[in-house]
Amino acid sequence: MELIQIVEALIFAAPEPITSAEIAKAIRRAAVDSVLPAAREWENITPKKVENVIAELGEKLVQTHCSFQLQEGPNGWRFVTCNEYAEWIRALLPEMRPEKLSPAALETLALIAYRQPITKADIEAVRGVSVDGTINKLIDRSLVRVGGRADLPGRPMLYETTEEFMEHFGVKDLDDLPNAAELRVVELPTAEEEAGEEKKEEETPAEEETKDESEAPTEEPSSDEAETDETPTDDVTSEEEASTEALIDEEASEESPEEESDESKTEGAEA
């Protein structure tokens, strides 16, 4: 009996995925009562040693072309069948036929996986459609869960992926997702930016109307109105001139009798 065989048996027998630390603990407990000579060395086995044995076991399975392989998920190690035997397994277990995700569900799931925790409003800002039904389906399939509430007005819920999601896609950590480092820093529209743009669009028409009113040119009177305004001025001037002429005539008439009397007196004296 070798250590690699013991590790293989423990992973196979575990009802749930098992970690290297749990395997090491089980081996140490059993080694105390074991009569095997090598058991004395296993009494102080470490998780690091177990990980080395698991790596060796995985290479052995690949080299021997086994129908199953080791897979590490978020909760530990387990044996899974290879992909090429999927159709044969479905024939054995037709009731376990997996339900395919729609393109909309995959897009929503990808956004949550790469940008979690994320609000529904931010998802809708990227996709441009409502995602209520899609998120509910992902929650029903245990791929997504509510991870808390955002520190924003209204305290919207935050969504994140589950352990079942990572097991389904065969990843141990979110960093193992394809192009995780790049896709997490790509700039995406958010609900706050959308709300700001809508508010700006609502305010723009009012500003334009105010600007148009302020820039409206002052109406100048038409030529007809100008002539009408100037006409009374001309009439007044003519009346003043006429009055002045009349006064001059009156003064002249008043002076004429005196001159005539003086002339008459002069003529009488000469006579």
Side-chain angles (χ1 to χ4, degrees):
M1 184 182 298
E2 297 180 3
L3 184 58
I4 189 172
Q5 295 171 327
I6 296 174
V7 171
E8 182 179 10
L10 290 173
I11 296 175
F12 183 83
E16 299 292 338
I18 186 171
T19 65
S20 57
E22 292 171 335
I23 294 173
K25 184 178 180 180
I27 293 174
R28 288 195 301 268
R29 186 185 299 120
V32 173
D33 300 326
S34 178
V35 295
L36 293 175
R40 306 287 71 82
E41 298 178 3
W42 301 335
E43 289 181 2
N44 298 316
I45 191 170
T46 62
K48 181 64 177 178
K49 177 63 176 178
V50 172
E51 290 176 3
N52 294 336
V53 175
I54 291 174
E56 183 182 349
L57 176 60
E59 292 178 2
K60 180 182 176 181
L61 294 175
V62 173
Q63 292 174 359
T64 56
H65 304 287
C66 286
S67 60
F68 56 89
Q69 60 186 357
L70 276 170
Q71 183 184 80
E72 185 180 16
N75 296 325
W77 294 93
R78 64 175 180 170
F79 285 114
V80 296
T81 53
C82 298
N83 293 332
E84 53 264 34
Y85 301 101
E87 60 179 318
W88 307 99
I89 297 171
R90 282 197 294 267
L92 175 66
L93 305 169
E95 69 279 1
M96 295 183 65
R97 183 180 297 273
E99 180 184 352
K100 292 184 178 180
L101 293 174
S102 64
L106 287 173
E107 290 177 9
T108 302
L109 184 59
L111 282 171
I112 296 173
Y114 283 101
R115 295 305 180 97
Q116 61 183 306
I118 186 172
T119 64
K120 179 173 69 70
D122 284 342
I123 298 173
E124 292 174 344
V126 177
R127 297 203 58 229
V129 295
S130 175
V131 295
D132 289 323
T134 304
I135 288 180
N136 289 334
K137 288 181 180 178
L138 294 174
I139 292 176
D140 291 339
R141 296 192 62 177
S142 299
L143 296 174
V144 171
R145 67 185 175 194
V146 177
R149 290 186 176 274
D151 189 15
L152 296 171
R155 303 283 293 170
M157 290 186 289
L158 292 168
Y159 296 95
E160 60 186 16
T161 54
T162 62
E163 295 173 352
E164 286 80 357
F165 162 82
M166 289 187 281
E167 290 182 359
H168 179 81
F169 289 95
V171 294
K172 175 186 176 182
D173 191 82
L174 294 174
D175 293 333
D176 296 334
L177 292 172
N179 301 323
E182 298 176 6
L183 294 177
R184 284 177 181 169
V185 297
V186 175
E187 293 186 4
L188 297 176
T190 62
E192 293 179 359
E193 292 176 356
E194 254 195 7
E197 290 178 0
E198 291 178 359
K199 185 177 180 181
K200 186 177 180 181
E201 289 176 359
E202 291 175 357
E203 292 176 352
T204 301
E207 292 177 356
E208 290 179 352
E209 289 177 4
T210 306
K211 185 177 180 181
D212 293 342
E213 291 176 0
S214 62
E215 292 181 354
T218 305
E219 294 184 358
E220 297 181 356
S222 61
S223 58
D224 295 338
E225 292 176 350
E227 290 177 0
T228 304
D229 292 341
E230 291 176 357
T231 302
T233 305
D234 295 341
D235 293 342
V236 171
T237 305
S238 301
E239 291 177 358
E240 289 178 352
E241 292 177 352
S243 301
T244 304
E245 291 177 356
L247 289 172
I248 293 171
D249 292 340
E250 288 179 1
E251 290 178 357
S253 61
E254 289 177 357
E255 292 177 355
S256 296
E258 294 179 356
E259 291 178 355
E260 288 178 0
S261 59
D262 292 341
E263 289 178 356
S264 300
K265 292 178 179 179
T266 304
E267 290 176 358
E270 289 179 354

